[in-house]
Amino acid sequence: MRSDIVKKGATRCAHRSLFHADGYGEEDLKKPLVGICNSFNEIIPGHIGLRDITEAAKLGVAAAGGTPIEFPAIGVCDGIAMGHTGMKYSLASRELIADSIEAVTMASGFDALVLIPNCDKVVPGMLMAAARLNIPAVVVSGGPMLPGRFHGRDVSVSQAFEAAGKYAAGDMTDDEMRELEAKCCPGCGSCAGLFTANTMNSLTEVLGMGLPGNGTIPAAYTGARRLLAKRAGAVVMELLKKDIKPRDILTRKAFENAITVDMGIGGSSNTVLHLTAIAHEAGIDLPAPVFDEISRKTPYITKLSPSGKHHMVDLDEAGGITAVMHELAGRGLIHEDALTVTGTVRDRIKNAQVLDRTVIHSCDAPYRNEGGIAILKGNLAPDYAVVKASAVAEDMLTYTGKAKCYNSETEACDAIMRGDIHDGDVVVIRYEGPKGGPGMQEMLNPTAVITGRGLKVGLITDGRFSGASQGACVGHISPEAMEGGPIALIEDGDEITIDIPNRSLELHVSDEELAKRKANWTQPEPKIKTGYLSRYAKLTTSASTGAVLKA
């Protein structure tokens, strides 16, 4: 066993004494040591229930003959971090999570891991660690939040963000806003729509690193989530016996399956960053064109909030992610021979059924014939840009407008709230990329206020968007402004065309004029010059390569 390095032989007498101090006896040390990484905290609603999940996972490991040993991981609540300096730390925290799991696992000599995340960067951070460490591992999350109810309809946190715009436009009273905020997030779990956290938890199933139901069983269904966690504990012991490791599962076929399902369900645009980063840790090249190739041939068959009225609980009741995979497999779009923690994909989905066709459409009657995410290129995005096409209205799929430029999210949001933005504009938010932000802030505040005010505008940024964002919002523009990318050269009044069907993002300025502007451009001073974010800005790569840190 790998853990023998910390527990066997005369030279490990002191090590064993320290384990005894923790309450582990001789019999415990004869068994495999299984690290249980619990990202519980009292900040993130998706994580406040993870102690219960962790205890269930530990029971599963112990019942299957292992010694479970719990250790923590950090987590940032993107909703609470949104719209201020805190959001700069969100994406950057992904690297801290992966690094800290690596540090504890290597220092402790664990034989296997059960990884317990739930929200945003914690899920990909843990998957990155699993791929990097390559010891038997299973991921089991805390589950999605149930939607709240407001004036007879289901709501979630995205309606609370949009309320700011409605309030500013005079379409919502202060009392209505306060009533909404009290009701839209009714309890624990990752926010109820198909935002980044729930997309990544769902794709964890598809990648094969989580059990069926991982992404969709609601957090409030505590019995079902405990059973899932206990089973995960037992499964990791089976993986250990069979010597099945994450890189046996995280193959090119697994990532293609994940992208296919992502396109089919209209997941968060952040998945392009995260799947690329996880693939990087697994030693697999996953360039942006792969996402677009798969999107072109994958029908969009679910329409969940923020794009539609359904939430994760509805998807769960309709058959969950296995039903989506079964439907897509019928079109030949899924690699059924790909390995999972519990056998092949074929074994997993063979008995799956779509139980509600209003939630999961057939491939023959999709919402759209192409997938939920589109990769754009053009003179404004020589590397690439990303848009959540499934959240864009039909009449905005092709759009031309005049630029209004802002060098930070805060400047842009203030301008929108003041009423400076009008129909026909393209809001340009720059110097918010991985290096420029630093940390590549999410732009949910400006997109939500635009939606709340009912504006018909485009928005482009070298930052990124929350899974709750909607509209003609193009992010991940690479190269970013801080590296002198074309987005840094836009001036107020320039015409910009967003053409999603033709995958194009064009600035209507001549090459000669852009060359003149580039010659006069100087890189601005970093926004943050000390601490972790300063180091992150120096080490991070482009969004086009997943914003991973340089080795």
Side-chain angles (χ1 to χ4, degrees), residues 257-472:
N257 282 347
I259 296 169
T260 298
V261 172
D262 192 18
M263 299 305 165
I265 62 178
S268 167
S269 59
N270 283 316
T271 55
V272 179
L273 280 174
H274 297 323
L275 289 175
T276 302
I278 298 161
H280 171 78
E281 295 290 354
I284 293 170
D285 186 34
L286 204 64
V290 174
F291 289 81
D292 205 60
E293 289 164 15
I294 292 175
S295 181
R296 290 284 197 182
K297 64 183 180 182
T298 305
Y300 171 42
I301 60 174
T302 78
K303 198 174 180 67
L304 306 181
S305 175
S307 305
K309 65 180 181 179
H310 295 119
H311 292 82
M312 294 305 293
V313 64
D314 301 304
L315 179 58
D316 188 63
E317 291 172 2
I321 293 300
T322 53
V324 171
M325 293 179 75
H326 184 271
E327 182 66 30
L328 294 170
R331 185 64 72 87
L333 296 171
I334 296 291
H335 299 292
E336 296 186 54
D337 59 338
L339 186 64
T340 79
V341 292
T342 53
T344 65
V345 168
R346 182 175 292 107
D347 296 332
R348 180 172 284 195
I349 69 173
K350 64 184 177 183
N351 295 320
Q353 296 181 53
V354 177
L355 303 176
D356 188 342
R357 285 292 181 189
T358 67
V359 178
I360 304 173
H361 283 205
S362 74
C363 287
D364 295 326
Y367 285 101
R368 287 181 183 163
N369 290 319
E370 293 186 354
I373 293 173
I375 305 297
L376 310 185
K377 288 194 74 170
N379 71 341
L380 193 42
D383 291 345
Y384 82 82
V386 178
V387 63
K388 187 174 179 178
S390 60
V392 181
E394 292 286 340
D395 64 350
M396 290 292 288
L397 290 171
T398 302
Y399 176 83
T400 298
K402 293 190 179 296
K404 286 194 175 175
C405 301
Y406 303 95
N407 291 337
S408 72
E409 181 206 17
T410 301
E411 287 180 23
C413 209
D414 289 346
I416 298 163
M417 290 294 285
R418 283 195 307 267
D420 295 349
I421 304 301
H422 308 287
D423 289 356
D425 291 337
V426 176
V427 180
V428 178
I429 306 178
R430 57 195 176 193
Y431 296 103
E432 291 290 11
K435 291 180 181 295
M440 207 177 180
Q441 294 193 106
E442 287 186 344
M443 303 292 155
L444 180 55
N445 262 2
T447 61
V449 174
I450 285 169
T451 300
R453 293 182 75 99
L455 294 169
K456 190 173 181 178
V457 300
L459 190 155
I460 67 170
T461 181
D462 53 5
R464 60 197 177 91
F465 295 107
S466 164
S469 296
Q470 56 184 304

Side-chain angles (χ1 to χ4, degrees), residues 128-180:
M128 289 167 68
R132 184 187 303 175
L133 291 162
N134 203 35
I135 62 173
V138 176
V139 177
V140 57
S141 79
M145 188 184 293
L146 292 173
R149 294 287 292 174
F150 177 72
H151 294 186
R153 63 188 179 104
D154 286 349
V155 292
S156 67
V157 71
S158 60
Q159 280 75 40
F161 277 101
E162 290 166 15
K166 291 184 177 181
Y167 179 75
D171 295 332
M172 178 175 274
T173 67
D174 184 71
D175 287 344
E176 287 173 329
M177 185 167 64
R178 291 182 181 278
E179 181 187 357
L180 173 64

Side-chain angles (χ1 to χ4, degrees), residues 496-516:
I496 294 170
T497 294
I498 301 166
D499 187 347
I500 296 170
N502 291 307
R503 303 299 198 259
S504 174
L505 184 63
E506 293 292 332
L507 174 63
H508 297 290
V509 174
S510 69
D511 292 344
E512 292 77 15
E513 175 61 21
L514 285 176
K516 288 179 186 176

